[in-house]
Amino acid sequence: MGKYAVVKKDSCIACGSCGSIAPDIFDFDSDGIAEVIFEGDDNRGVTAIPENLQEELQEAAESCPTECIQHAEAPFA
Ligand code: SF4
């Protein structure tokens, strides 16, 4: 299970599922598209998601209807 996450914004349909499941990790940006907001990550995928939130991360990624939440063990940048 990944510790870093990003939203592929081009594929996000703004359904709200990720922010509902993991509100500490995901929120909508000013255009209404989801992004990773955890500790100011700003959807860069460089901020480690701690162990206690990884279950929410996994659940949010699995719930995404367009599979646009990517997560990995290493930072994305
Ligand atoms: S679950 Fe996926 S499609 Fe829905 S708002 Fe989150 S990133 Fe976008």
Side-chain angles (χ1 to χ4, degrees), residues 7 11-19 26 28 33-34 60 63-69:
V7 175
S11 304
C12 174
I13 58 169
C15 73
S17 178
C18 57
F26 300 99
F28 291 125
I33 300 299
S63 81
C64 178
T66 59
E67 299 182 350
C68 61
I69 296 174

Side-chain angles (χ1 to χ4, degrees), residues 2-77:
K3 292 183 177 173
Y4 298 85
V6 291
V7 175
K8 287 191 296 179
K9 292 190 177 191
D10 287 352
S11 304
C12 174
I13 58 169
C15 73
S17 178
C18 57
S20 171
I21 292 170
D24 291 331
I25 303 174
F26 300 99
D27 199 358
F28 291 125
D29 66 15
S30 56
D31 294 323
I33 300 299
E35 65 177 1
V36 174
I37 51 98
F38 184 71
E39 288 189 349
D41 185 74
D42 201 23
N43 209 51
R44 292 171 298 154
V46 298
T47 308
I49 309 291
E51 193 84 29
N52 64 323
L53 289 177
Q54 287 182 23
E55 195 172 320
E56 285 183 17
L57 170 59
Q58 182 76 24
E59 201 177 322
E62 287 173 0
S63 81
C64 178
T66 59
E67 299 182 350
C68 61
I69 296 174
Q70 296 184 308
H71 53 97
E73 298 286 336
F76 283 85

